Amino acid sequence: MLPKIKISCLFLFVLLSSAFVANASKIDFYQIKIYHLKTDAQEKTVDDYLQKAYLPALHRNGITKVGVFKPIVSDPAAVTEKLIYVFIPLKSFNGVLELDEKLAKDKQHAIDGKAYLDAAYNEAPYDRLESIVLKAFEDAPHFMLPNLKSPMKERVYELRSYEAPTEKYFKNKVQMFNKGDEIGLFKRLNFNAVFYGEVIAGSRMPNLMYLTTFENKTDRDAHWKAFSADDYWKKLSAMPEYQHNVSKNDTKFVYPTDYSDF
C-alpha cells in the first residue's frame, strides 16, 4: 500500500492535470497560414494541394471546418503578389505541433499531396509561407460559422488586424472587446464574426485579429455604417480608459474559395 502522502500527491497531480485539460478545451487556438505566391503556376499547385490533400487530411484528423480565402482584387495591375489564407481552428496550443506530426504520418496525405510536398528546390510551390498563431478571446472562446446565403465568390470577408503601441495597450484593446463588450456590439449588429483572437506568435505584435463576414460589399458597407452610428459604440470609443490602444489597423478583404469549408 502506498503511503498516504504519496497517494495525496498522486491525487493532486491527477486533479491538476484534469483541470488543465478541461480548461484547454474551453478555448480555441487558431493558425492562419498565408501563402505568398509569385506565379499562376504556384497558385494552381497550392490550390490543388489544399483542395485534394491538405483539407481532406485535416478532415480525417477531426478538423471539419477549414477556411481558405483569397484577396478581393479591385485593380489587378496593382497586385505585386498572390496570397492564399488558410484558417485552421484547433482545440489547444499544442494542436499546432500535433497537427504537423499527424500529417507526417498520414500516408494518404503524402500520396495526394506529392506534387506539392516533393517539389524541387527550383520549382517551389510558393515564395514564402507565413504562419500566425492566435488564442481566442475570453468572451468569444470558439470560432463560429457565418450565417450567409450568397454564393461564396460574392461574399466579402473582412480580416482586421489591430496592432497596439505596447503590450499594455494591447491588453487594453482586448479588454475593450471583452469587458467593454465590443464583441456584443458586433453580435447585436449581426456582423457574422468567425473569430476574435490574440496573436501569440506572428511577425506583427502586439496584435489582435478578427474576421467578420458579409453577403457582399453593399452589405458590408451598410453594417459598418450602422456600427459607426451606434450609440453604444460612440459611448465606448469615447471612454478615457480605451484611448490610444490601436496604433495600426490593417484591413484585408477576402473571399472564400470554392473548396473552402465556409
Side-chain angles (χ1 to χ4, degrees):
M1 180 178 295
L2 288 171
K4 288 185 178 180
I5 189 169
K6 289 187 177 180
I7 293 175
S8 298
C9 288
L10 180 62
F11 175 76
L12 180 61
F13 174 77
V14 172
L15 186 64
L16 290 174
S17 298
S18 299
F20 176 79
V21 172
N23 185 62
S25 66
K26 291 180 180 179
I27 192 166
D28 285 346
F29 286 79
Y30 310 120
Q31 182 181 25
I32 299 177
K33 300 174 74 172
I34 307 175
Y35 287 89
H36 295 260
L37 315 164
K38 287 183 177 179
T39 68
D40 292 341
Q42 286 181 325
E43 183 177 18
K44 184 179 186 309
T45 298
V46 174
D47 271 329
D48 287 346
Y49 167 67
L50 293 175
Q51 181 176 11
K52 299 173 183 177
Y54 192 68
L55 264 65
L58 264 56
H59 295 163
R60 287 194 295 272
N61 281 283
I63 304 174
T64 58
K65 299 298 179 183
V66 181
V68 183
F69 316 108
K70 294 185 178 183
I72 295 174
V73 178
S74 56
D75 181 10
V79 175
T80 57
E81 67 174 350
K82 298 172 181 292
L83 297 169
I84 299 178
Y85 298 80
V86 184
F87 171 79
I88 308 165
L90 301 156
K91 294 301 182 184
S92 70
F93 176 72
N94 287 337
V96 178
L97 295 177
E98 291 170 357
L99 180 58
D100 288 340
E101 292 171 357
K102 290 176 181 178
L103 292 179
K105 298 175 182 177
D106 189 327
K107 294 181 179 179
Q108 191 60 48
H109 172 249
I111 294 172
D112 296 340
K114 183 175 176 57
Y116 170 95
L117 297 170
D118 295 340
Y121 76 93
N122 56 350
E123 293 183 355
Y126 50 79
D127 185 36
R128 283 293 86 187
L129 176 56
E130 180 181 352
S131 179
I132 303 170
V133 180
L134 308 97
K135 180 179 73 172
F137 280 10
E138 179 182 330
D139 283 9
H142 305 294
F143 88 101
M144 299 149 283
L145 294 176
N147 181 23
L148 300 173
K149 298 179 181 178
S150 59
M152 298 284 257
K153 288 195 174 182
E154 289 183 14
R155 298 178 185 181
V156 172
Y157 288 10
E158 188 166 355
L159 181 63
R160 287 202 170 204
S161 170
Y162 288 171
E163 297 175 30
T166 68
E167 290 96 325
K168 185 175 181 179
Y169 279 106
F170 162 74
K171 291 178 181 177
N172 177 262
K173 182 57 182 177
V174 173
Q175 180 181 333
M176 188 174 177
F177 273 91
N178 290 318
K179 185 179 178 180
D181 202 29
E182 193 170 346
I183 291 174
L185 174 59
F186 277 111
K187 186 174 182 179
R188 174 165 59 81
L189 295 179
N190 195 29
F191 268 67
N192 270 303
V194 173
F195 77 90
Y196 301 89
E198 302 177 32
V199 175
I200 57 177
S203 61
R204 309 292 298 183
M205 295 178 69
N207 190 18
L208 67 85
M209 300 176 74
Y210 65 93
L211 179 67
T212 51
T213 65
F214 311 94
E215 303 284 2
N216 48 50
K217 184 159 189 313
T218 300
D219 184 44
R220 180 264 175 196
D221 292 346
H223 275 79
W224 278 109
K225 183 177 181 180
F227 184 95
S228 299
D230 190 87
D231 288 338
Y232 184 74
W233 170 245
K234 291 179 180 179
K235 177 183 176 181
L236 180 65
S237 60
M239 290 181 178
E241 61 265 39
Y242 293 135
Q243 300 306 303
H244 312 298
N245 54 18
V246 176
S247 56
K248 182 180 180 181
N249 170 5
D250 184 25
T251 300
K252 307 291 187 187
F253 295 106
V254 298
Y255 68 93
T257 64
D258 56 7
Y259 59 87
S260 177
D261 290 325
F262 62 87

